[in-house]
Amino acid sequence: MKVTFKFYNPEIFSDVQSGCREVADGATIRQAMDTLLDAEPNFTTRNYLDYIIFLLNKRPSSCDAKLEDGDEVLVLRKTHGG
Amino acid sequence: MYSWAGKVLFVDLTTGEFREEPLNEEWARSFLGCGALGTRYLYEYMPPHVDPMAPESMVGFVCGPGNGAGALMAPRFMTVCKSPINGTINVSNCGGGFGPALRQTGFDAVFVTGAAEKPVFIDISDDGYELRDASELWGKTILETEKALQEQLGIKHVQAAMIGPGGERGSWMGSIMNDSHRAAGRGGIGGVVGSKNLKAIVPHGSKRFEVYDRKELLAVNKKIIDWQKNGPLHELASGFKMFGTGIGYAGSLLSGDCSVLNWKGSGVEDCPEEFRETMSAAKMDELYREKKYACNGCPVGCGAIYKVDGKKYKIDDTGRPEYETAGGFGPMIGNYGDPETVNYCNYLCNEYGLDTIAVAGTLAWAMECHSDGILTDEDLDGIELNWGNNDAACKIVEKICKNEGCGAILQNGSRAASLHWGKRGWDRLCTASGMELAMHDPRFAPMLSRTLKYDPSPGRHTMGGLGPNSGNVPVEEKFNYDAQADKDIEMTNMYEIAHNGGFCMFTDWAYSPEMYREVINATTGFNYSEEEFKSIGLRTWMMRWCFNLREGIQRKDYTLADRMVGKPPLTEGPLAGCQPDVEHIMDNFSERMGMDLDTGIPSEEKLKELGGLDCVIADLYPAK
């Protein structure tokens, strides 16, 4: 299935490109992200889940939400107030 | 005493008299420093029910024990006064270098009463202290004032606490500025200082003071650096080092944390895709950054100095807009793609000494009112202040800064402006007890709603509690108030320690929790136990709360705009349907703090348990 991922923080995700990705059927956001990031040679922040939250189709979502074809995932830096 | 300079300076501007007193060591030990210590002094020396703008009112500039002591990330001082906006105790926090500079003159705090006949500044040096004529400085912007003071006093780099023209005329949005671009912005402190005809306090001394255990302090500093490099949140450290508070811009905009269209919009719905990162620090740094900036003694250095050579505005020297300012003059006013507007408004506010959060909130309110036809072109001097009209926004900010036309009406904030205009737009106010709100939505972080409404200095996103960061947890968790109630107390305690200890708020990730106690013990030798540190912040919170009680302000008197608690709820975006139950959260907090659910009055038992509050007990529970 095809899912769009959008990234906004280059200081975490360096040159990981936003765009439409092929994702295994039944995958969760976490599984899809791990697969996607494993393929990025310059990505090194293994504990990235400590720093980010997700919007799935413009609604807050946990990383264990199951994805469907045509979904959009926004990968957002966690709020750190100041 | 160790680390503390050991003296406090009182200045009466009416009589021109100065008075030194030893720092009250018992109070310093009980309240750590900064705002809470200042509150204790005001409780003692300023009678209740004083008009904040009258000569009888007192303002304080109070250091923390680590200021200039070699402690990392502990340079912050706080101003303290009674707020002209709502009569509450107003504590406001500032970085830069004023705190360490004041301590190098031998004083831990300066308290000012009275009002001078003509503008003055307070000069404090190794040779003593005096009032000096500030007639030539009155009317100058902040950078102009700094330059003039440096020339007059022969100082290369002055660390003054100053007001700009905004504070000079008593604006309730007036701030105290330090080190060109750092601000104690909130609650009208600049206006209160301006009402006294006081332009600046200029400390320039060279006194040194000992810390209790220098070796232990250096060991803790080493641990702090290691924690930042290798600890669980090391990536946050590197991100803040690069981009400061602006690293979170896109995330906040899209998650719902950031304000959009005076809190009635949604970033993910309203902001065009191509502009979602435009006001992030990363993007703005590419355009404008000249060099980094660090507050005194900070290894992170999250600030930056900008030079803007834009199509519309050219600014030689300005601070990088913090997240609040980028959000406030950005999506809050429907500006998604024009960083020049953000930087120009930030520059104006800093130069005129006005709080960017209050100005942006007031601007957004006026913009919504004009867009909806509640305010007319005539009300706004013919300016078409509609959503996304950035030129109009800049013109209004100019007018507020210069006190011209409608700016003179808007300069005391949105609530005062609405009252002036016969309560037009009253239902569009987004304030907490009259204070415009920082760009963190309590519908995103429900536990923040209690801090915004019920902190003794209301309307603050930085004061104690679970705060904006609590919005990062799953939705089903963030609305489970009972499960978070104990943590709310714990984090209130921690942030009170951070603020009153003079630490930067970002020690919440840059320090591990035990480091605050280790630093304060190593500097002061007060030997606080772990047990004591579990509640010392609750004591400081209670001191401020009880200051307000003495002023006659009870729980029922605190307000928070309906829109901010989802009345009515948003229908689109990630915050659709979110309605934080601020009263439930406050009930939980009150039960744990021994406070009556209706009045907020704490029990005598709780006051005794917290300790150090005999002054409050004497007033609330006088001996029969």
Side-chain angles (χ1 to χ4, degrees):
Chain A
M1 58 182 175
K2 292 198 185 309
V3 175
T4 300
F5 286 86
K6 294 186 179 173
F7 298 91
Y8 294 96
N9 288 91
E11 73 281 0
I12 301 177
F13 295 107
S14 55
D15 49 7
V16 178
Q17 293 294 315
S18 296
C20 190
R21 307 292 184 114
E22 194 66 45
V23 170
D25 286 345
T28 64
I29 294 178
R30 185 203 302 255
Q31 289 165 338
M33 284 283 293
D34 283 345
T35 305
L36 186 163
L37 294 172
D38 278 345
E40 294 287 339
N42 295 325
F43 182 73
T44 56
T45 308
R46 290 294 113 194
N47 62 331
Y48 66 91
L49 287 175
D50 289 343
Y51 300 106
I52 61 173
I53 54 176
F54 299 101
L55 286 190
L56 175 61
N57 302 326
K58 300 181 181 178
R59 288 289 187 271
S61 173
S62 84
C63 58
D64 295 316
K66 276 207 162 65
L67 291 166
E68 295 179 4
D69 188 45
D71 278 346
E72 177 189 75
V73 178
L74 303 192
V75 185
L76 307 176
R77 188 173 195 117
K78 278 183 178 176
T79 286
H80 204 91
Chain B
M1 293 179 80
Y2 289 98
S3 196
W4 288 105
K7 287 193 297 184
V8 167
L9 186 64
F10 290 86
V11 188
D12 185 332
L13 293 179
T14 302
T15 62
E17 289 173 354
F18 289 78
R19 185 178 91 251
E20 289 184 24
E21 278 190 13
L23 174 71
N24 188 310
E25 186 172 340
E26 182 192 331
W27 295 353
R29 201 190 187 291
S30 293
F31 298 105
L32 293 172
C34 291
L37 179 60
T39 303
R40 181 63 186 91
Y41 269 90
L42 259 62
Y43 197 93
E44 187 76 15
Y45 289 101
M46 185 175 80
H49 313 303
V50 163
D51 179 349
M53 306 297 270
E56 294 73 29
S57 81
M58 177 179 272
V59 299
F61 297 75
V62 190
C63 299
N67 287 184
L72 295 179
M73 297 181 77
R76 298 184 79 88
F77 72 101
M78 288 176 95
T79 57
V80 59
C81 71
K82 191 170 156 185
S83 174
I85 298 169
N86 49 36
T88 60
I89 185 68
N90 178 43
V91 297
S92 191
N93 196 310
C94 185
F98 175 82
L102 180 61
R103 303 230 301 149
Q104 284 180 310
T105 65
F107 294 102
D108 298 303
V110 178
F111 292 98
V112 183
T113 51
E117 271 189 36
K118 295 178 186 175
V120 295
F121 70 90
I122 300 173
D123 180 357
I124 312 175
S125 69
D126 288 335
D127 299 327
Y129 33 77
E130 61 179 313
L131 292 181
R132 298 183 72 160
D133 179 41
S135 304
E136 296 294 313
L137 299 176
W138 206 252
K140 284 193 187 312
T141 64
I142 294 302
L143 290 181
E144 289 170 349
T145 301
E146 272 191 336
K147 186 164 179 279
L149 285 170
Q150 277 159 189
E151 285 168 3
Q152 182 177 350
L153 300 175
I155 304 169
K156 194 174 167 191
H157 183 183
V158 75
Q159 287 287 0
M162 304 162 278
I163 59 172
E168 288 171 8
R169 60 176 189 262
S171 166
W172 294 359
M173 300 200 282
S175 57
I176 297 292
M177 301 299 293
N178 168 232
D179 209 6
S180 307
H181 311 299
R182 311 315 284 184
R186 314 255 37 224
I189 175 66
V192 176
V193 171
S195 74
K196 299 182 174 306
N197 266 339
L198 176 62
K199 178 69 175 175
I201 298 177
V202 190
H204 50 115
S206 58
K207 291 185 172 58
R208 299 181 70 83
F209 44 86
E210 285 183 65
V211 299
Y212 178 71
D213 189 337
R214 176 70 59 186
K215 195 171 161 194
E216 172 62 18
L217 180 61
L218 291 175
V220 177
N221 283 350
K222 190 166 176 305
K223 275 204 306 185
I224 291 168
I225 297 292
D226 187 61
W227 178 263
Q228 291 178 17
K229 281 187 183 158
N230 303 309
L233 297 176
H234 70 276
E235 192 283 329
L236 205 51
S238 62
F240 267 87
K241 199 184 265 289
M242 281 193 282
F243 299 123
T245 60
I247 54 167
Y249 174 80
S252 282
L253 172 66
L254 299 171
S255 68
D257 175 46
C258 186
S259 52
V260 178
L261 301 173
N262 198 34
W263 305 100
K264 68 182 188 114
S266 161
V268 76
E269 299 285 351
D270 295 306
C271 179
E273 178 77 47
E274 64 269 30
F275 294 139
R276 286 175 171 181
E277 291 185 276
T278 305
M279 251 65 90
S280 68
K283 291 295 181 195
M284 289 203 289
D285 275 11
E286 286 173 15
L287 298 172
Y288 308 128
R289 194 176 104 167
E290 287 276 286
K291 58 183 177 181
K292 280 176 65 64
Y293 171 87
C295 292
N296 181 292
C298 182
V300 176
C302 71
I305 304 299
Y306 274 8
K307 179 175 177 170
V308 177
D309 186 12
K311 292 180 186 147
K312 292 183 290 185
Y313 305 111
K314 299 200 186 297
I315 309 165
D316 280 335
D317 179 359
T318 185
R320 175 208 275 146
E322 300 293 342
Y323 160 77
E324 300 299 331
T325 307
F329 293 119
M332 175 72 150
I333 60 166
N335 168 25
Y336 304 113
D338 180 8
E340 273 192 61
T341 289
V342 168
N343 279 278
Y344 182 57
C345 291
N346 181 50
Y347 166 74
L348 285 175
C349 288
N350 282 350
E351 279 289 79
Y352 283 82
L354 291 172
D355 174 23
T356 58
I357 292 172
V359 173
T362 298
L363 177 67
W365 169 81
M367 198 174 257
E368 180 180 351
C369 289
H370 187 269
S371 299
D372 292 348
I374 306 293
L375 292 179
T376 64
D377 284 359
E378 190 182 345
D379 290 323
L380 298 179
D381 303 337
I383 295 172
E384 287 185 20
L385 187 66
N386 295 328
W387 295 121
N389 188 342
N390 297 331
D391 289 342
C394 290
K395 284 184 183 143
I396 293 291
V397 173
E398 284 172 2
K399 281 178 175 282
I400 291 172
C401 287
K402 295 174 184 175
N403 198 30
E404 293 172 350
C406 63
I409 299 167
L410 294 165
Q411 65 142 0
N412 282 337
S414 54
R415 186 175 70 173
S418 178
L419 284 170
H420 173 89
W421 278 314
K423 280 197 160 185
R424 279 187 280 153
W426 189 260
D427 60 342
R428 288 160 174 79
L429 292 172
C430 294
T431 55
S433 296
M435 291 271 295
E436 288 76 21
L437 302 176
M439 313 307 149
H440 293 288
D441 198 320
R443 296 165 295 185
F444 170 76
M447 298 301 285
L448 175 64
S449 65
R450 180 198 59 77
T451 305
L452 293 177
K453 184 170 183 181
Y454 288 116
D455 187 87
S457 301
R460 314 304 172 81
H461 64 297
T462 53
M463 298 309 277
L466 279 162
N469 304 353
S470 64
N472 296 320
V473 303
V475 171
E476 59 277 9
E477 285 182 37
K478 66 171 87 170
F479 286 94
N480 186 342
Y481 309 123
D482 296 337
Q484 299 176 88
D486 288 340
K487 193 76 178 171
D488 193 16
I489 293 285
E490 184 188 325
M491 296 308 288
T492 297
N493 185 57
M494 194 202 87
Y495 280 112
E496 285 283 320
I497 289 169
H499 293 317
N500 296 307
F503 298 95
C504 174
M505 184 183 165
F506 296 136
T507 47
D508 64 357
W509 52 260
Y511 275 20
S512 63
E514 69 274 10
M515 286 173 184
Y516 296 105
R517 189 175 66 88
E518 290 174 355
V519 168
I520 294 177
N521 280 346
T523 51
T524 65
F526 280 168
N527 200 26
Y528 293 105
S529 66
E530 275 186 54
E531 198 56 36
E532 190 172 5
F533 247 50
K534 285 181 185 166
S535 63
I536 192 170
L538 303 182
R539 175 194 300 149
T540 61
W541 186 96
M542 188 61 82
M543 182 70 242
R544 296 191 296 117
W545 178 261
C546 291
F547 179 98
N548 291 351
L549 281 175
R550 194 178 71 162
E551 295 292 327
I553 300 169
Q554 296 189 347
R555 177 171 167 175
K556 62 175 171 51
D557 299 309
Y558 293 80
T559 63
L560 180 61
D562 280 346
R563 187 178 288 183
M564 306 315 302
V565 290
K567 293 177 185 173
L570 291 170
T571 56
E572 285 186 320
L575 303 184
C578 291
Q579 295 183 293
D581 187 347
V582 60
E583 302 311 324
H584 185 158
I585 299 168
M586 184 57 179
D587 285 348
N588 284 343
F589 185 85
S590 298
E591 282 163 3
R592 285 155 179 78
M593 290 293 278
M595 288 155 50
D596 183 88
L597 295 186
D598 292 321
T599 62
I601 296 174
S603 67
E604 186 175 1
E605 181 187 15
K606 187 65 179 182
L607 292 172
K608 285 179 176 170
E609 177 196 312
L610 290 174
L613 295 166
D614 290 346
C615 57
V616 170
I617 295 172
D619 284 337
L620 286 178
Y621 300 101
K624 295 186 179 60

